[in-house]
Amino acid sequence: MPVPIATPRESAHGGSRIDVRLLGPFEVVVAGRPVHIGSVKQRAVFALLALQAGKVVSSETLCDAVWVEDRPASPSATLHSLVSRLRGALGSAGGPVDGGRDMLRTRDPGWVLDIDAEGVDALHFARLTGRARQRSGRGEAAAAAADLADAVGLWRGAALVDIVDAGYLGTHATRLNEARLDAIEDLAEAELATGQPAKALPYLEEHVEANPLRERAWGLLMVALYRLGRQAAALRAFQQVRVVLAEELGLEPSPELVEIEGRILRHDPCLAPPSAPASPDGGVWMPPAREAVQPAAPPAGNGVQATQADHGVQATQADHGVQATQADHGVQATQADHGVQATQAGEFADYSVLVVEDHDFQRRTVVQLLRGIGVGMVADAASGAGALQVLESGDVPDIIICDIDMPGMDGVEFVERVAESNLACGLVIASGLESNVLHAVEGIGESHGLHVLAALEKPLTARRLGEVLRQYTRLNQEGSPPAERAAVGGEELRAAFGRGQIAAQFQPRIDLTTGAMSSVEAAGSWQVPDGPAVPASVLLRALAREGLLVAFVERIVGDACGLFGEAGRAGIEIDGGMRVGVNLSLLPWSDASLADRLTEMVRSRGRSPRDFVWELDDVLLARASGTAIAALTRLRVKGFGLSMRHSGTGPSWTGQPGRVPLTELKLDRRLVSAATGDPSVLAMLESSFASAREAGLRVVADGCDSSATFDVLLALGCSEALGQFIAEPMPASELVSWVFAGYPGPGLR
């Protein structure tokens, strides 16, 4: 489609208006002259402000967009510098701009770009498409087509393409690009409604070739071909999309597409062009404009409830915005219908699944897949916040399928929130991100006590989802269903703590080159009588909630000092010291005396701080406040070591030694386990080893659970490791016996 050439326009405030072009390569034009904005970070900041023209964008939002990783120690100061340079670039364009007003204004808690929204092509596009849909709803197809043609003509390429290629604003670009695809289909529908199939056909053919999974576009193409007298070509298009859907998603075409095929085969009068006589059942038939699944009442006792009274779930923008293009925190709920049946009838009929995915098409596809294999109750949410609203208002679903890269509350934070409140029985991580990120988030879920059934790369298929559901079935049949894990109550926790049921377990590390025990890890454990052990992260958060975390740390330190004494009496030296696996980010760092109290805990038991290394979480460390960083630095000054667990997600760890005086890098067990079969994870571990050595850090690998992993770690030059292949965690007395027995682990025999 022709692209309109922008010319200088007068601002409502007088003077030439600024034009910001985001629907393609980034451009800023003032008074007809391009403004050079140098660094990609400046462009990202300006683009984000332009997308919210006239509205305040917080400093935190801008920082999150600009520093995906390697966040500077003082991001606020760096951000102010970027804004200052932006102002300089805009001022250098010359001439009165917006009546001489300062366009880029400071407004608590951030900045506002005070320009006319019509000058931002992305906002102009949104206004045109919104007006077109209103006109289409009133039957004004020609006017709607004119607006949509103008809207699509604003595009000069993929949204924010040069900024996205540099690693910024990917989520915003995805939303804009998806809106463009919707607009193209809306335009085709409007032109078909005005009797112009020949006009719609060329770009519909290009559209389905570039986006072969968009069923609505295929339906419009089939109608256009039929109205041009090309019935055979229309039927070939149906067969083509059937093959694509089967190969890519394991799906049959939607009922809407099947209906179009049937009407074409029957030469249904409903497919006649608008100028033809009306069909017997009234009017000219068109493919549905939107696939809007209405919420159905869930079966009794089947998990997630989604009723209007409870959640305000309606397919209207006014309530919770459930419609595909406008959903934010909206939630849909659907009941399995007559789609593709499961391998065994009713196999998954009693299960409830919640799909959390911000991308509208992908979310609807997964819902269709689940319905197709017979899942009894499927709910979906377009954001982490929306999903929490459902979870906190209704029953806990059997399984949550969660994306990682979502705006606002990302998948990592959502998983943490779900774990804190015991809002899920089983979890499936699904993402198009790199496999090492998938494995890392899978590990985070497990470390928080969730039953992670799988970490799946997109696109999902019916076959793979069926396998995951059967895995969940096996868990239930084996007598250890995830649903039986109860929340940790305060009274129960305090009673267990008082009875000494919560104590330390110890896991040895070995030197891979010599086979000798190099150090020991200590972590808290609570084995509930006649029940499963409470996961460490769940235990820690419950202790923090009840104000018992410092007392718990003191108990772990006491047990560890007891092991030092018992080992010493047996003639065993723990030369490498004791690693205490307590998440220090949960401790009350606002208490300035905490570092002194931890030091006193150790010294009062006859040990030196140099015997202890505290473990930190990389994701939480990246969020640590200045007060926490200062307290951690005091611990290092007093002689304690600091180890950071590298999970492979969140900000790059390489910037952390400059913020916190680390002594050790610990590679998360999920990353280590994945290295044997994933070249990208292996490459990341190689890079981590090299960077750690350059930073002077000791490196240890968790998750040495097999001989294959053992061999990979040796090849990488890893010096220390721990895991099931070496030894499971055990009480102090068993550890001493283990040493005397000659390290009887499977990997050390």
Side-chain angles (χ1 to χ4, degrees):
M1 291 191 177
V3 178
I5 305 299
T7 57
R9 290 169 289 181
E10 292 299 308
S11 165
H13 308 293
S16 297
R17 190 175 70 180
I18 183 172
D19 284 290
V20 183
R21 299 169 186 168
L22 307 177
L23 305 181
F26 175 85
E27 292 180 6
V28 177
V29 177
V30 175
R33 294 189 294 273
V35 177
H36 177 69
I37 297 179
S39 76
V40 69
K41 283 186 171 64
Q42 290 179 56
R43 296 179 187 181
V45 168
F46 193 85
L48 196 54
L49 288 165
L51 286 170
Q52 299 291 326
K55 300 177 183 177
V56 176
V57 181
S58 71
S59 300
E60 187 63 29
T61 298
L62 292 169
C63 285
D64 288 343
V66 173
W67 290 288
V68 181
E69 56 183 35
D70 296 329
R71 196 173 181 127
S74 300
S76 179
T78 308
L79 184 60
H80 277 81
S81 175
L82 289 173
V83 172
S84 177
R85 279 179 275 164
L86 280 173
R87 284 172 170 159
L90 294 171
S92 67
V97 178
D98 273 2
R101 300 188 313 156
D102 180 8
M103 290 180 293
L104 192 46
R105 302 182 178 214
T106 302
R107 290 287 186 272
D108 189 52
W111 287 271
V112 59
L113 185 61
D114 193 4
I115 62 174
D116 191 340
E118 285 295 294
V120 182
D121 59 358
L123 301 182
H124 187 44
F125 169 81
R127 187 185 69 81
L128 287 170
T129 54
R131 187 173 69 185
R133 286 171 186 140
Q134 290 176 350
R135 287 176 165 175
S136 179
R138 296 194 296 266
E140 301 169 6
D147 277 343
L148 289 164
D150 288 344
V152 174
L154 293 171
W155 288 75
R156 299 168 292 112
L160 302 164
V161 58
D162 45 349
I163 297 176
V164 171
D165 287 347
Y168 304 96
L169 304 186
T171 301
H172 297 277
T174 297
R175 290 182 181 279
L176 288 169
N177 290 328
E178 182 74 14
R180 173 178 176 266
L181 300 182
D182 287 339
I184 291 173
E185 291 163 13
D186 288 344
L187 174 60
E189 181 179 298
E191 291 186 331
L192 286 175
T194 56
Q196 302 182 78
K199 191 173 181 181
L201 181 62
Y203 63 82
L204 276 174
E205 289 178 328
E206 292 180 5
H207 184 47
V208 296
E209 183 177 357
N211 306 279
L213 299 179
R214 294 185 70 91
E215 291 185 82
R216 183 187 175 211
W218 282 100
L220 291 164
L221 175 63
M222 291 166 64
V223 172
L225 288 167
Y226 180 80
R227 289 184 179 173
L228 289 169
R230 300 171 59 186
Q231 181 188 18
L235 293 173
R236 281 197 301 272
F238 177 78
Q239 294 304 321
Q240 188 177 352
V241 67
R242 167 175 266 168
V243 170
V244 169
L245 291 172
E247 291 180 348
E248 295 294 328
L249 301 175
L251 282 177
E252 286 294 310
S254 66
E256 291 81 4
L257 274 179
V258 173
E259 182 181 3
I260 296 174
E261 182 204 31
R263 290 177 184 270
I264 290 173
L265 288 169
R266 298 191 304 270
H267 292 280
D268 195 316
C270 286
L271 290 180
S275 57
S279 62
D281 55 349
V284 176
W285 185 85
M286 289 289 292
R290 286 284 185 279
E291 182 181 312
V293 183
Q294 299 296 329
N302 255 356
V304 179
Q305 302 297 313
T307 64
Q308 181 179 355
D310 290 339
H311 308 305
V313 180
Q314 283 190 336
T316 64
Q317 184 179 5
D319 290 334
H320 284 275
V322 179
Q323 281 194 342
T325 58
Q326 298 164 353
D328 179 18
H329 294 281
V331 179
Q332 297 174 340
T334 62
Q335 189 175 4
D337 58 9
H338 59 276
V340 180
Q341 296 302 308
T343 305
Q344 300 177 16
E347 184 178 6
F348 307 129
D350 293 333
Y351 286 161
S352 58
V353 179
L354 172 63
V355 180
V356 187
E357 166 66 66
D358 66 300
H359 190 284
D360 172 62
F361 175 74
Q362 293 179 14
R363 186 174 69 253
R364 287 185 287 139
T365 298
V366 177
V367 169
Q368 288 180 6
L369 288 169
L370 291 167
R371 295 170 64 206
I373 62 176
V375 175
M377 181 62 201
V378 184
D380 69 89
S383 67
L388 287 177
Q389 289 178 357
V390 178
L391 292 170
E392 291 168 353
S393 303
D395 294 338
V396 173
D398 293 301
I399 296 171
I400 294 176
I401 300 175
C402 177
D403 186 22
I404 299 173
D405 185 16
M406 298 186 291
M409 182 187 299
D410 60 30
V412 176
E413 183 181 356
F414 175 72
V415 167
E416 291 174 336
R417 295 279 295 274
V418 167
E420 286 176 15
S421 304
N422 286 329
L423 294 175
C425 300
L427 178 69
V428 176
I429 304 296
S431 179
L433 296 175
E434 295 86 353
S435 57
N436 61 318
V437 179
L438 272 172
H439 293 309
V441 179
E442 185 180 5
I444 290 172
E446 289 186 347
S447 70
H448 281 74
L450 295 175
H451 287 262
V452 182
L453 301 172
L456 306 179
E457 294 187 16
K458 295 178 180 178
L460 304 184
T461 64
R463 179 188 61 79
R464 191 68 185 94
L465 288 171
E467 291 173 354
V468 170
L469 289 167
R470 292 185 183 96
Q471 179 183 346
Y472 183 81
T473 301
R474 288 193 295 272
L475 282 173
N476 285 295
Q477 292 172 343
E478 291 167 1
S480 57
E484 290 184 1
R485 177 173 59 80
V488 178
E491 184 176 342
E492 180 188 11
L493 181 72
R494 289 180 177 276
F497 192 80
R499 290 193 296 266
Q501 293 176 347
I502 300 174
Q505 293 268 307
F506 301 95
Q507 188 169 23
R509 296 178 174 187
I510 66 162
D511 185 317
L512 292 182
T513 56
T514 66
M517 184 174 71
S518 55
S519 60
V520 176
E521 288 207 0
S525 174
W526 179 14
Q527 182 66 50
V528 180
D530 301 322
V534 176
S537 64
V538 175
L539 174 60
L540 289 175
R541 292 179 184 278
L543 289 164
R545 185 186 67 233
E546 297 299 319
L548 292 172
L549 191 55
V550 174
F552 167 75
V553 170
E554 188 164 6
R555 176 167 294 178
I556 299 301
V557 169
D559 290 348
C561 289
L563 174 61
F564 274 114
E566 190 171 345
R569 289 188 293 274
I572 300 170
E573 290 294 328
I574 306 177
D575 297 329
M578 184 74 63
R579 269 67 184 164
V580 180
V582 175
N583 191 341
L584 294 186
S585 62
L586 297 175
L587 291 173
W589 291 111
S590 57
D591 181 355
S593 67
L594 187 56
D596 294 326
R597 291 170 65 188
L598 294 175
T599 304
E600 179 59 25
M601 285 181 196
V602 171
R603 292 194 182 280
S604 65
R605 291 168 172 80
R607 306 304 305 183
S608 166
R610 299 187 183 280
D611 293 330
F612 285 83
V613 178
W614 299 97
E615 185 176 308
L616 310 165
D617 182 280
D618 59 350
V619 175
L620 295 170
L621 182 58
R623 305 173 186 167
S625 66
T627 302
I629 298 297
L632 291 171
T633 302
R634 289 192 67 213
L635 284 178
R636 187 72 192 94
V637 169
K638 291 179 180 295
F640 290 106
L642 296 175
S643 173
M644 187 184 72
R645 184 180 67 85
H646 176 34
S647 65
T649 189
S652 170
W653 72 268
T654 54
Q656 299 304 329
R659 301 178 67 228
V660 180
L662 299 172
T663 57
E664 179 182 277
L665 177 69
K666 180 182 177 183
L667 302 173
D668 182 76
R669 60 177 297 274
R670 180 64 56 180
L671 288 180
V672 173
S673 298
T676 55
D678 193 323
S680 66
V681 175
L682 183 61
M684 186 179 70
L685 292 185
E686 290 176 336
S687 175
S688 294
F689 273 106
S691 299
R693 292 190 189 101
E694 186 177 341
L697 301 181
R698 184 177 183 173
V699 183
V700 64
D702 194 358
C704 184
D705 297 336
S706 67
S707 60
T709 307
F710 191 96
D711 293 340
V712 166
L713 293 175
L714 277 176
L716 287 172
C718 179
S719 57
E720 270 191 283
L722 69 156
Q724 296 174 3
F725 192 63
I726 298 166
E728 298 275 5
M730 62 189 85
S733 58
E734 292 184 16
L735 179 63
V736 172
S737 300
W738 180 83
V739 174
F740 274 116
Y743 304 175
L748 302 172
R749 290 172 181 164

